[in-house]
Amino acid sequence: MNAEGGNLIRLAIDAPQPVAARAAYTLQQLLATLGVGIERNAARVAEWPNDVLPCVPEEWETTALAPPGTDPLALAFWHLARVEEAQADVQRDTHGRTAYAGSWTARNGDDPLDAPVDRVREIVRRWAHAHGVETASIWPGGRRFALALSHDVDGLRRLTKAGRKRALKRAVRSIGRREAGDAARDVKSVAASLRGGHHDPYWTFDRIRDMERARDARSTYYFLAGHVVPEDGENQEAYEELLPEAVRVVTEGGDEVGLHPSYTSYETPGLVHAERLRLAGLVPDVEHVRYHYLRFDPHRHARELVDSGVRTDSTLGWAERPGFRSGFSFPYRLYDLGRERAHNLVEVPLVLMDGTLDAAHYLGLEAEAAWPHVQAVVDRVARLGGGAAVLWHNDYLDPVASRGYDRLYERLLDLAQARGGWLAPVGEVAGRLA
């Protein structure tokens, strides 16, 4: 989406560096979600600071503590630039990810679904109106909000010969524990796989497409293009063999393909680029990524993604809780603190993941118990008018093995549609920025 005419402005910022550069970046991100573009030669001029948006220079320091909010733009910058994650003593989990427990949100006892940057966005809206600038929704067709639908494809074949043996052994153990439902699921999956073809809990592409097209929805699939360590998934040889067919099925079905950088890409410079080139051999224009295990540090990896030709990332979310890790419900460009400028990389915030709800080391919820969390996410994004990503892995959409999480996804789609949401691939949601 490109802003035109009355929705183009020129900024006049009266502040020292680096405050001026940071304020310009922050204004540009928030205005882009209001349908307003910044153009050096635009006739209409908007001044900062003023009474609506004051400047408090000391609040622009890049410290671990969030600014008090006297300067609203400084607070928004602190969140968007992930200043707390740039600190040397940031708390990390066993995978090297910034830990939710050590975040400002958790330590301050805030709701992870709170979106402080969205509140600053409303102040910026008033500031724009005071300069005679009209604002508008960036979502097409009068849609109220957007959900970027996505699927991380960590496995393509679960029930190899060895996999069937493991499943049957699991079924026997389940019977011994009087867990008949779990046993029945494994036996049904094995029986289906013996019919040949792609009767496997991981090969759910046709079912996902049917679910989504019935609701006028499309999505992004993130595929691994390298397997280095066990964390990169089981049955890795089968994945390599089936990858070309899986990519073909997705693209011919009209969905978007992105790269799922492998586990060790977190600490291996150049690996993302190599994997992107490999996936680009199967589908042109691989411009979208989400890191495996959500192992993404914007201060380490964003520049590498830009240099590789990547256009969007959708990794910034909490594995432990649904919520807005950057305090914002809209896509925005990441910031390079070293060069004091925006990256040419759009972050589509990840607000909800199936594993967050289901995994025993996170929330550990059965599908029905997880529904209130799903409903809260959709309702919050709808109320904010934002555009955030949801992640449902392909194996969570098998009717047998997913333990009801496939139906939970359908309920999510139905609720989003009922609330007036646009259900689209990550790249298309990112592309709506002014």
Side-chain angles (χ1 to χ4, degrees):
M1 176 180 178
N2 294 315
E4 297 180 357
N7 281 2
L8 285 173
I9 64 170
R10 173 163 49 96
L11 293 178
I13 292 178
D14 182 15
Q17 295 293 359
V19 174
R22 295 173 179 181
Y25 157 79
T26 307
L27 282 168
Q28 186 171 20
Q29 305 320 303
L30 302 187
L31 288 168
T33 69
L34 293 164
V36 179
I38 295 175
E39 172 60 54
R40 186 185 301 271
N41 298 318
R44 193 182 302 274
V45 178
E47 297 179 348
W48 181 84
N50 65 4
D51 291 341
V52 178
L53 281 174
C55 176
V56 182
E58 58 268 25
E59 292 190 14
W60 289 87
E61 296 297 325
T62 52
T63 67
L65 296 178
T70 312
D71 183 332
L73 284 188
L75 178 65
F77 175 80
W78 188 87
H79 283 284
L80 296 180
R82 305 311 303 134
V83 171
E84 67 174 322
E85 297 183 25
Q87 309 305 311
D89 60 350
V90 64
Q91 182 178 338
R92 299 190 181 276
D93 66 11
T94 56
H95 297 292
R97 305 173 298 198
T98 300
Y100 170 74
S103 70
W104 173 261
T105 299
R107 289 185 287 108
N108 207 41
D110 292 339
D111 179 358
L113 282 174
D114 187 30
V117 180
D118 287 70
R119 291 194 289 275
V120 178
R121 177 178 178 267
E122 291 307 306
I123 300 173
V124 170
R125 186 198 298 272
R126 297 198 300 272
W127 173 83
H129 289 171
H131 286 90
V133 179
E134 294 298 319
T135 59
S137 171
I138 62 174
W139 310 126
R143 301 295 177 88
R144 182 181 174 192
F145 67 102
L147 286 185
L149 304 180
S150 62
H151 312 287
D152 291 3
V153 184
D154 296 342
L156 285 171
R157 177 63 53 82
R158 178 182 178 188
L159 295 175
T160 59
K161 184 176 181 180
R164 293 188 191 106
K165 289 181 178 179
R166 287 194 297 270
L168 291 175
K169 288 180 180 178
R170 236 183 356 257
V172 171
R173 290 196 298 270
S174 296
I175 291 171
R177 294 192 297 265
R178 298 184 179 181
E179 296 170 347
D182 290 344
R185 276 190 288 273
D186 276 323
V187 171
K188 286 180 181 178
S189 293
V190 170
S193 73
L194 292 172
R195 295 202 300 267
H198 287 304
H199 296 286
D200 189 274
Y202 289 172
W203 196 273
T204 54
F205 304 112
D206 292 339
R207 186 158 195 262
I208 296 171
R209 185 169 59 248
D210 290 344
M211 283 183 184
E212 293 176 350
R213 296 304 183 274
R215 297 159 177 88
D216 193 27
R218 292 166 50 244
S219 57
T220 301
Y221 291 77
Y222 294 102
F223 288 97
L224 288 156
H227 294 85
V228 182
V229 292
E231 287 83 359
D232 289 324
E234 60 182 324
N235 300 326
Q236 295 179 2
E237 289 185 5
Y239 194 108
E240 302 284 340
E241 178 184 341
L242 292 168
L243 179 60
E245 183 180 0
V247 168
R248 178 185 59 78
V249 167
V250 167
T251 54
E252 289 181 357
D255 289 301
E256 188 173 75
V257 167
L259 174 68
H260 201 35
S262 61
Y263 188 86
T264 53
S265 65
Y266 180 88
E267 63 265 0
T268 310
L271 188 54
V272 168
H273 184 65
E275 292 176 355
R276 179 179 176 273
L277 289 178
R278 183 180 175 215
L279 189 59
L282 301 176
V283 57
D285 302 324
V286 179
E287 298 179 325
H288 316 292
V289 306
R290 176 181 293 129
Y291 279 71
H292 193 35
Y293 275 72
L294 306 185
R295 299 184 85 210
F296 173 64
D297 181 342
H299 303 294
R300 292 177 56 183
H301 301 126
R303 196 178 297 177
E304 181 179 8
L305 293 181
V306 172
D307 291 345
S308 185
V310 172
R311 188 167 63 86
T312 78
D313 175 74
S314 188
T315 310
L316 280 182
W318 301 117
E320 303 95 323
R321 294 288 186 278
F324 301 111
R325 179 165 157 185
S326 300
F328 198 32
S329 71
F330 285 83
Y332 66 96
R333 287 174 177 81
L334 293 172
Y335 192 75
D336 187 334
L337 284 169
R339 297 176 177 175
E340 294 290 357
R341 68 188 189 194
H343 285 292
N344 189 23
L345 179 71
V346 175
E347 184 67 33
V348 180
L350 176 61
V351 68
L352 177 66
M353 176 175 70
D354 48 13
T356 301
L357 304 172
D358 173 60
H361 53 284
Y362 296 143
L363 296 182
L365 300 171
E366 296 292 331
E368 189 59 36
W371 171 245
H373 294 270
V374 172
Q375 190 173 27
V377 166
V378 174
D379 286 346
R380 183 62 62 91
V381 179
R383 182 172 64 80
L384 295 169
V390 297
L391 160 58
W392 234 254
H393 291 78
N394 53 313
D395 53 311
Y396 273 87
L397 288 154
D398 177 75
V400 176
S402 68
R403 297 173 294 107
Y405 267 78
D406 59 328
R407 294 188 297 277
L408 186 64
Y409 183 66
E410 288 189 286
R411 293 176 72 183
L412 181 156
L413 298 179
D414 288 339
L415 179 63
Q417 192 174 51
R419 295 285 191 268
W422 178 47
L423 307 176
V426 171
E428 292 187 15
V429 171
R432 298 300 300 179
L433 289 180

